[in-house]
Amino acid sequence: MIYLYYIGSFFLPFLVSMILVPLVKWNASRLGFVDMPAARKLHVSPVPLGGGLAVFLSVVLTSLAAIIFADFQIPRTIIGLFAGAFLLITVGFLDDIFELDYLTKLLGQVVSAMIFMAFIEQSLPLFSPIIFIVISVFWIVSLSNALNFLDNMDGLCGGITLISALAYGVLFLIKGMPMYAILSFAIAGAVLGFLKYNFTPASIFLGDAGSLFFGYSLACLSVVHISTGASMSIAGALGPIIILAYPAFDLIFVTFSRLKEGRKLYIGGKDHSSHRLNVLGVTKGNAVSIILLMNIFLVSLGILLYRFENSPLLTLGIVLIALIFSFFGAHLYKNFLFLREKITLVLSDLLSINLAFLIYFYIKSAGGNSGSDSMAADELLMALAWINAFWVVLYAVMGLYDIYFERPFKKQLVSLIKSVAAGLVIFLIANYDPELGMQISITFIVLFLLLLVFLNAVFRRLIFMVFKRRYFDGRNSLKAVVVCPAGVTPGNDSVRPFKKHYDLVGYLGNGIYKGLNKIGDIDDLTEILRNNKIARVIVDYGDGNYSDIANVFYSAYYMETLFLINDRSADNKRGFRIMPTISEEAYIISVKQRGFFATILKRLADFTFAGAALILTFPYSLYKILKARHKKIKAVAEAQIVAFGEREGKIKLDPSVAGSPYKRSWWALLSVLRGDICLYGATITTMEEYKTSLNNIPGYWKKFLVKPGLFGPGYSGKTTLDKFRLDLAYMEKTSTMGDFLMIIKSLIGFSPLKTEDLKDA
């Protein structure tokens, strides 16, 4: 009899949704509640919004029917889920109408998640209640945004929600939790009814209200599932999480790509995994189908992992899937260059990791270390699976799979040692107990890491010798193009050193090169690189040329392309990051001042420091606001500045009375929090100063290849030119640790806070 309720819980909301969606669509069109076309959107005509409201009402009506007619007792957790969902849908609905700022939306998401957590009936025994609430709120907010991000192609967000909700229904059936199974099937049925009108060409969209509700409800169901599994193993707990692996993957993918480009996370764009498939030549419909098939595969793995949680082979399989996903994401971002070479490096690293572990395990066992010789084969296999996953993911994050054949091997060895040192820190933190102390032998872990570094270095050295002979010594040369910016007098001498190492397919821009054909203009560089899988760009940026070539570097953000020059000493090369190669006639040139991982660390450090400082100074800030209101003057003002990428930005200022100039104060930390500026960087530039200096100071555009900062060496300069030169010197040698030390030094001396010429915008 109970199975009839499960079947009904799916088909009833399906039918209700089929009726409600057309009604909502008709009213939305009549009231002008539509999503207008825009540059970052794929549709070309207005489409009605409100599909999410119809889905939510269908689920609520089904739940009420289960209570009234089937005499089900609704758990208080589900009441909390609906209460939080109502608030979240309200916030999303208001955002669809008025386009709320991101802080208001984020606050609504956090409060909705906290409402749900206030009603939850159990917590995970592994964590204290406070830690469990914090992690759960973060997870719910993240997944809400993940599904919101995935609402970028017809049927994609709804399709993923349908598949995931059905999976959670199955899991709750296995666990014997009928009301949660009914709720999961109700969500799936209501979404299926909506999808009839949302697949290409969509006649109605979810809107933020719907996509946020989808992510929120799925995340809440996963929290319920994990929190009711007191005896569940780590592998079993991963099952419900793997069901939502694709939305989490897309969120991480977009976050990383936007951080790498210096863009704000909350400003949308065509940079999602679905868009990247589209850019690679896959049609929109096929891109959605591919992603949904991948989601079905992951959902099936999640159910199997929960059902057979004690199987080491299945756990190993899940780890391998995670590694494949990581590679898929990395190459989706980098246009699938050097895929074979990266697989070779990963296999060599896996060999090094396992050899190092087995030698370490043998030495530890031979030494009679307690318990080491009694480890069962399945336990050893499980340990190896997680160790392999940890190190490969860490290496990927630290950039060890970026293929630069031209870099001297000692530079690669330094990167390897840094990565292993980071792994050591993570291991020590993870194995430290405040009461019991260190839970792992430091001697043995150091032994393992020394073995790992040695084996990694040997295998990587051999592999890069093969790569060098194949790609750099003329046997199978990499493709390269020459770029000649405006204002350059081209000469064959500037490209001659590269001919023996690279296959020059042509040039872009000005001038004539003997033996090379013009294949396009500089504006065509992105398309040429993508279509021809070109790995190297030679920039003919001769002495005395200070023209703006930022667009040349930005053209390859989505590709693993290196830029090369033949001279590093000229004054016009100041401010660039220039690195030697194994050839004495070529240098790598880059506008990226720090690595990807370091960029993320810097942003997190800025956000954490600014947030903590604002919290600590909140009483005084409140006093200043109340005082300003009493005097009927502004408490906070804004000034226009030039931000990263020569975009317009704003900085918060503390206005003084009687017409005196605006001075930076702790209000500027609000701008750091938003990401408009950083704590330590180039000097802040007003719009007026920018317009004046751009024409008077050669190469002034380079200053905006980094974010402006509250602190920085440039603030000690007396003139605009002095500041600019100090900024360039900083850009050439910037590092995350160096920034931290300079901030401390600046705070002690308060020397950077000298600029008082910002005017109210």
Side-chain angles (χ1 to χ4, degrees):
M1 182 66 181
I2 186 68
Y3 289 100
L4 293 177
Y5 291 121
Y6 295 141
I7 295 171
S9 68
F10 179 82
F11 284 103
L12 177 60
F14 168 71
L15 295 173
V16 174
S17 181
M18 289 279 287
I19 296 169
L20 287 180
V21 171
L23 292 175
V24 171
K25 181 175 70 172
W26 181 79
N27 281 286
S29 298
R30 186 171 61 87
L31 297 172
F33 184 45
V34 296
D35 189 40
M36 302 300 294
R40 65 180 180 86
K41 299 177 181 178
L42 299 178
H43 59 284
V44 295
S45 58
V47 178
L49 294 167
L53 181 62
V55 172
F56 177 68
L57 290 175
S58 302
V59 174
V60 171
L61 291 173
T62 302
S63 301
L64 289 174
I67 296 170
I68 296 171
F69 298 108
D71 198 28
F72 276 105
Q73 186 69 34
I74 186 167
R76 65 191 298 265
T77 302
I78 292 182
I79 296 173
L81 190 152
F82 280 133
F86 180 78
L87 173 61
L88 191 60
I89 284 179
T90 303
V91 172
F93 190 72
L94 292 173
D95 182 50
D96 288 330
I97 299 173
F98 302 111
E99 295 189 1
L100 304 176
D101 66 87
Y102 82 100
L103 283 176
T104 303
K105 290 168 61 177
L106 182 62
L107 179 62
Q109 294 166 21
V110 171
V111 173
S112 299
M114 292 181 71
I115 290 173
F116 167 74
M117 293 305 298
F119 282 81
I120 200 164
E121 295 172 279
Q122 286 182 276
S123 66
L124 199 61
L126 186 63
F127 302 110
S128 67
I130 297 297
I131 298 297
F132 175 65
I133 290 172
V134 171
I135 293 174
S136 299
V137 168
F138 177 79
W139 172 251
I140 293 168
V141 171
S142 298
L143 262 293
S144 300
N145 284 287
L147 269 294
N148 184 239
F149 281 7
L150 277 170
D151 190 21
N152 55 59
M153 285 188 179
D154 295 345
L156 181 57
C157 180
I160 288 176
T161 304
L162 168 64
I163 295 165
S164 303
L166 285 173
Y168 281 120
V170 172
L171 288 182
F172 285 122
L173 277 178
I174 295 173
K175 291 188 82 168
M177 301 174 68
M179 195 60 209
Y180 292 102
I182 287 174
L183 176 61
S184 302
F185 291 138
I187 293 171
V191 171
L192 182 62
F194 163 75
L195 282 174
K196 181 183 183 300
Y197 306 94
N198 187 242
F199 275 122
T200 304
S203 60
I204 185 171
F205 287 162
L206 282 169
D208 279 357
S211 57
L212 289 172
F213 167 64
F214 284 5
Y216 165 85
S217 57
L218 291 175
C220 290
L221 290 173
S222 68
V223 171
V224 170
H225 192 281
I226 292 173
S227 66
T228 53
S231 62
M232 193 186 305
S233 67
I234 294 177
L238 282 175
I241 295 175
I242 288 173
I243 289 173
L244 296 174
Y246 194 88
F249 158 76
D250 186 75
L251 179 67
I252 295 169
F253 175 82
V254 171
T255 300
F256 280 10
S257 65
R258 291 178 184 177
L259 283 172
K260 190 166 187 177
E261 295 177 49
R263 293 195 291 122
K264 295 177 181 177
L265 300 181
Y266 53 87
I267 297 178
K270 294 182 180 180
D271 53 0
H272 296 270
S273 55
S274 53
H275 294 133
R276 295 301 303 144
L277 286 172
N278 195 217
V279 167
L280 293 174
V282 181
T283 65
K284 288 184 284 186
N286 287 340
V288 171
S289 299
I290 289 170
I291 292 172
L292 293 183
L293 285 173
M294 292 176 65
N295 199 54
I296 291 172
F297 178 66
L298 288 168
V299 160
S300 302
L301 282 177
I303 295 173
L304 286 173
L305 189 60
Y306 173 73
R307 187 68 182 85
F308 304 101
E309 59 182 288
N310 294 318
S311 169
L313 289 177
L314 186 59
T315 303
L316 183 61
I318 297 299
V319 171
L320 291 175
I321 294 300
L323 295 178
I324 291 171
F325 247 83
S326 300
F327 259 84
F328 171 75
H331 283 277
L332 198 61
Y333 187 85
K334 294 179 176 178
N335 210 35
F336 291 93
L337 283 173
F338 304 121
L339 181 59
R340 183 177 58 185
E341 290 76 13
K342 292 198 176 191
I343 291 174
T344 303
L345 278 177
V346 170
L347 291 176
S348 76
D349 286 341
L350 290 173
L351 179 61
S352 302
I353 293 164
N354 286 281
L355 278 176
F357 180 81
L358 290 175
I359 295 172
Y360 151 82
F361 184 73
Y362 173 78
I363 294 174
K364 187 178 179 182
S365 300
N369 192 275
S370 175
S372 63
D373 55 348
S374 61
M375 181 179 285
D378 58 344
E379 293 176 338
L380 182 64
L381 189 61
M382 290 279 283
L384 272 174
W386 292 114
I387 289 171
N388 278 280
F390 170 79
W391 284 107
V392 171
V393 170
L394 180 63
Y395 284 0
V397 170
M398 296 294 286
L400 292 189
Y401 298 124
D402 293 339
I403 304 295
Y404 302 142
F405 309 116
E406 297 87 347
R407 290 186 68 194
F409 184 73
K410 64 180 181 180
K411 297 289 186 182
Q412 301 175 40
L413 185 59
V414 169
S415 298
L416 173 64
I417 293 172
K418 286 181 179 179
S419 302
V420 173
L424 173 62
V425 172
I426 295 171
F427 261 88
L428 293 178
I429 293 174
N431 287 278
Y432 179 75
D433 188 296
E435 296 180 356
L436 302 177
M438 193 61 64
Q439 299 299 294
I440 190 171
S441 170
I442 297 179
T443 303
F444 280 109
I445 194 66
V446 170
L447 170 64
F448 168 73
L449 295 180
L450 289 174
L451 288 168
L452 183 61
V453 170
F454 173 75
L455 292 170
N456 267 145
V458 170
F459 288 137
R460 281 176 167 263
R461 178 61 174 168
L462 293 173
I463 289 171
F464 272 88
M465 286 174 63
V466 174
F467 287 166
K468 176 181 175 292
R469 182 173 298 178
R470 179 184 299 170
Y471 296 114
F472 200 68
D473 292 340
R475 295 179 59 184
N476 189 17
S477 300
L478 296 174
K479 291 181 181 179
V481 294
V482 179
V483 170
C484 185
V488 172
T489 302
N492 290 301
D493 290 340
S494 60
V495 299
R496 186 176 293 115
F498 300 98
K499 288 185 177 180
K500 62 182 177 181
H501 297 302
Y502 301 100
D503 176 16
L504 303 185
V505 300
Y507 73 93
L508 297 89
N510 305 313
I512 298 174
Y513 294 88
K514 186 177 180 180
L516 294 180
N517 296 321
K518 182 172 181 177
I519 57 177
D521 295 317
I522 292 178
D523 292 340
D524 304 320
L525 182 57
T526 301
E527 185 177 352
I528 289 171
L529 292 176
R530 181 190 301 128
N531 294 339
N532 297 281
K533 296 292 182 76
I534 293 173
R536 302 296 183 255
V537 175
I538 299 162
V539 184
D540 189 0
Y541 198 53
D543 297 357
N545 180 23
Y546 293 90
S547 59
D548 189 344
I549 58 171
N551 62 323
V552 173
F553 296 98
Y554 294 150
S555 64
Y557 251 117
Y558 290 107
M559 285 153 277
E560 198 166 9
T561 303
L562 274 186
F563 294 86
L564 301 165
I565 57 172
N566 69 341
D567 177 28
R568 65 181 300 177
S569 60
D571 185 67
N572 66 335
K573 309 299 192 304
R574 293 290 309 278
F576 293 116
R577 202 65 178 256
I578 299 177
M579 295 159 281
T581 68
I582 54 179
S583 169
E584 295 180 356
E585 300 174 309
Y587 299 89
I588 299 169
I589 182 172
S590 175
V591 296
K592 300 171 184 175
Q593 308 304 324
R594 48 173 49 86
F596 183 41
F597 186 60
T599 300
I600 296 174
L601 282 180
K602 180 175 172 62
R603 179 69 189 111
L604 288 174
D606 286 345
F607 185 88
T608 303
F609 181 89
L614 287 168
I615 291 172
L616 291 173
T617 59
F618 177 74
Y620 184 65
S621 300
L622 182 61
Y623 163 75
K624 294 281 287 185
I625 292 171
L626 294 174
K627 182 179 178 181
R629 288 199 173 187
H630 176 71
K631 292 185 176 182
K632 297 182 179 180
I633 59 174
K634 284 184 178 180
V636 185
E638 286 184 339
Q640 279 189 322
I641 61 172
V642 183
F644 173 78
E646 297 184 81
R647 294 190 289 259
E648 288 189 11
K650 292 182 179 180
I651 184 172
K652 301 291 184 182
L653 301 168
D654 183 16
S656 56
V657 295
S660 57
Y662 290 88
K663 301 179 182 180
R664 285 173 295 151
S665 67
W666 63 89
W667 294 123
L669 292 173
L670 292 170
S671 300
V672 175
L673 207 63
R674 288 171 56 92
D676 293 322
I677 60 175
C678 59
L679 286 174
Y680 200 86
T683 49
I684 294 171
T685 305
T686 63
M687 290 299 297
E688 182 179 339
E689 182 183 1
Y690 170 73
K691 293 174 183 177
T692 303
S693 302
L694 193 62
N695 296 323
N696 296 332
I697 300 179
Y700 196 70
W701 60 272
K702 287 188 282 188
K703 178 178 178 176
F704 308 102
L705 295 174
V706 296
K707 275 187 181 181
L710 283 180
F711 303 93
Y715 287 108
S716 60
K718 295 182 179 180
T719 66
T720 301
L721 182 59
D722 289 341
K723 293 176 183 178
F724 173 59
R725 288 173 175 168
L726 289 168
D727 286 337
L728 292 182
Y730 160 74
M731 292 164 62
E732 293 169 2
K733 300 183 181 297
T734 180
S735 68
T736 303
M737 182 57 67
D739 285 1
F740 175 75
L741 294 175
M742 291 304 295
I743 288 173
I744 300 300
K745 181 180 177 181
S746 299
L747 284 173
I748 294 172
F750 299 102
S751 58
L753 299 180
K754 293 180 179 178
T755 302
E756 299 180 356
D757 56 353
L758 294 175
K759 298 181 180 179
D760 191 7

